Amino acid sequence: MPDTDLLPKTRAKPKTEKPRLWKVILLNDDFTPRDFVTAVLMRVFRMTEGEALGVMMTAHRKGACVVAVYTKEIAETKARLGTDAGAARGYPLTFTTEREE
Ligand code: NFA
């Protein structure tokens, strides 16, 4: 039975890397009103009011809360939009980004 062994004996290394994801993290502060934080989460991160309230209260109680994960540029853009929205009203509201493992 010649030449029946046509399958490769080794598995090709995948050519694509998994895209790295970046977390957007909401930091608590003592000054930004709760309803303002909730409104920013709804507008910038497209959350429902219930989702936004949950994230806001988790940051309020624990000091910080992961809002969502995105590719690097989208995470950085949304973090900046949220932080700038607070700054425009004189609030210290801060969103940071952190690379996922
Ligand atoms: N800690 C703020 C307050 O009591 C609310 C807040 C929550 C601010 C989450 C920033 C992030 N007004």
Side-chain angles (χ1 to χ4, degrees):
M1 203 153 67
D3 277 342
T4 56
D5 187 11
L6 301 174
L7 297 173
K9 293 182 185 58
T10 57
R11 195 180 300 276
K13 189 180 177 211
K15 292 189 183 71
T16 53
E17 303 286 337
K18 279 185 258 169
R20 287 284 184 188
L21 293 178
W22 292 65
K23 296 178 279 197
V24 177
I25 299 163
L26 168 63
L27 303 183
N28 186 40
D29 68 69
D30 291 339
F31 303 100
T32 310
R34 293 182 189 194
D35 61 352
F36 184 80
V37 179
T38 303
V40 169
L41 289 169
M42 291 173 70
R43 190 173 73 245
V44 175
F45 298 93
R46 301 185 164 283
M47 290 184 174
T48 65
E49 184 170 27
E51 290 167 344
L53 280 166
V55 168
M56 182 277 293
M57 284 308 298
T58 298
H60 177 73
R61 293 194 182 108
K62 300 181 71 174
C65 183
V66 175
V67 178
V69 293
Y70 302 102
T71 54
K72 186 173 197 288
E73 183 167 347
I74 292 172
E76 287 173 347
T77 297
K78 286 182 181 284
R80 179 171 43 77
L81 285 169
T83 299
D84 287 354
R89 295 279 295 269
Y91 299 134
L93 181 64
T94 303
F95 293 86
T96 62
T97 61
E98 188 180 300
R99 204 185 82 179
E100 273 200 329
E101 302 313 312

